[in-house]
Amino acid sequence: MFDVTDKDKQQVAAWFQTLRDQICGAFETLEDEASGPLSDRPAGRFKRESWQRDNTDGGGDGGGGVMSIMTGGRVFEKVGVNISTVHGTFSEEFRGQIPGADEDPRFFATGISLVAHMQSPKVPAVHMNTRMITTTKRWFGGGADLNAPLPVAQDTADFHAAFKTCCDRFDPDYFPRFKQWCDDYFFIKHRGHARGEGGIFYDQLNSGNFEQDFAFTKAVCETFRDIYPELVRRHINDTWTDEDRETQLVYRGRYAEFNLLYDRGTTFGLKTGGNVDAILMSLPPEAKWP
Amino acid sequence: MFDVTDKDKQQVAAWFQTLRDQICGAFETLEDEASGPLSDRPAGRFKRESWQRDNTDGGGDGGGGVMSIMTGGRVFEKVGVNISTVHGTFSEEFRGQIPGADEDPRFFATGISLVAHMQSPKVPAVHMNTRMITTTKRWFGGGADLNAPLPVAQDTADFHAAFKTCCDRFDPDYFPRFKQWCDDYFFIKHRGHARGEGGIFYDQLNSGNFEQDFAFTKAVCETFRDIYPELVRRHINDTWTDEDRETQLVYRGRYAEFNLLYDRGTTFGLKTGGNVDAILMSLPPEAKWP
């Protein structure tokens, strides 16, 4: 189970790399296409930075990852796409919280995590993250949600419809369950409102059929890869006002509140000594609490 | 003990109001005095907004507070001074965490909380908060800490010296203990560095002499009221560069991280249904995670 070279683990980790390349390529294409407000600046390009992780059971290789970051583009103000493949041993504190870790605290995790904050308040921000985790159990989890400072009903509807089509190919129960899970999860409790327009969220997915579950996770990622650039294109050349920008900056403040107060990946990552830059890559390039 | 009209409670709550008036007056005077970079705009003025709190044991009066906010001034970009006097009953969840609340979950709390974010990156931001809490026990707590994006050694030294003088009037052990407590508390663990230049922090102060402990808390507040405007005046007319501003905005991002991830007042307040605006008044008007 903990042989990091086993075929399934290698296969999933390699696929996340391929996906990363496809998404980064698609986002750079959007930078090339932009001919609106900030098109006098050079088209943005991703820079990659790899990081290593010490093994949690003390010393030795614990895997690592690669952050792809693009900032100050024509379309993307800050977007990070992080892939990571890590392994180690859960601390006493976390063993009780992770399925299968009470019997044997070793784990292997591979995944992709993406957050895009856009220059234009008219273009929705977005988050996508999927992963496979192996302890004595193995499961997939992840999802994607749309975060529009100035929501457009048709965009929201099309985003949800794309994920419904994707989910329905696997199980008719998936979409209603995973949409609700997303709404419940990305809720800013102290503000009493959602973080954004929602999407889907799922965790501990193990139907008993590994190939099927991996195919579903691939389909979720590919749905994101196809629908999000389409939504960006709809508004890529729209102009915006100072008031729109202010709305966006305040909206991003709420987004930062959610991530720092409630997001399990963020708080878990910071408390378990994860890579700070990779974890906090999700925070907005600029935000306001006026 | 829970008679909110008792003399000690009334006396402390009334004193916090007086202090608030003195501090707001001193800050408005700084706005009048400024003749540097943003002095073409009108001198800033505080606006007050009161809020009520439902009693935590369901219905009825639970006290409330008054937020004094000044934004967009010449000197102060955003400063909030909140006074509150609240009473109620701790939920099951919190009884075990609060001294004296396991025997009887009723509480009374009165305090002042202040956070100032400055226009100029050359002027330190600051936080000050003191309070008296009564359960079956009664204690004072609070402190002040300096948060300079571009620290000046003499300012830091004078800030600490002022609190040392204040503390030493009461107990020679106070300053070393309360300075260390501040350093330990205002530490951004995941970043591995302090939130700012420190100051003092104390909690559960009950020497057995109420008048003495109240006098100490008053002295802490008065020390803040006197030293902070002095530090502001030293830099009030300094100019700054775009690079200085960028440094300030990134520094404020770290400040927001601390408050949302670690600050007990913030997380406790949000989880116990406190006034969201008053609690999050501490967040910076603008911040960056570039």
Side-chain angles (χ1 to χ4, degrees), chain B residues 159 161-167 169 218-229:
Chain B
F159 189 76
F163 284 104
K164 182 175 190 313
T165 302
C166 161
C167 288
R169 283 166 46 207
K218 286 196 278 190
V220 167
C221 294
E222 286 162 351
T223 299
F224 166 81
R225 179 201 64 197
D226 296 340
I227 186 66
Y228 182 65

Side-chain angles (χ1 to χ4, degrees), chain B residues 27 30-31 74-80 114-128 144-160 163 195-199 224 226-240 244-245 247-249 251-252 255 284-285:
Chain B
F27 285 7
L30 289 169
E31 286 288 323
R74 297 166 168 174
V75 181
F76 293 89
E77 189 171 333
K78 176 182 167 189
V79 51
L114 177 156
V115 174
H117 293 287
M118 312 308 284
Q119 295 281 12
S120 169
K122 301 284 187 75
V123 177
V126 80
H127 155 256
M128 191 275 288
D145 72 302
L146 199 65
N147 299 274
L150 298 164
V152 174
Q154 191 62 52
D155 296 347
T156 307
D158 292 346
F159 189 76
H160 288 302
F163 284 104
R195 187 177 82 168
E197 285 62 54
F224 166 81
D226 296 340
I227 186 66
Y228 182 65
E230 187 185 320
L231 299 184
V232 174
R233 268 190 193 92
R234 292 182 190 175
H235 307 289
I236 195 170
N237 296 328
D238 291 358
T239 56
W240 62 87
D244 294 335
R245 175 71 178 172
T247 299
Q248 181 191 41
L249 295 176
Y251 182 91
R252 285 179 180 175
Y255 189 96

Side-chain angles (χ1 to χ4, degrees), chain A residues 6 17 27-28 37 43 50 64 70 89 142 154 170 172 184 212 250:
Chain A
D6 90 21
Q17 287 189 31
F27 285 6
E28 291 186 350
S50 62
M70 174 162 66
T89 307
Q154 190 63 51
F170 292 84
D184 293 342
Q212 173 97 346
V250 172

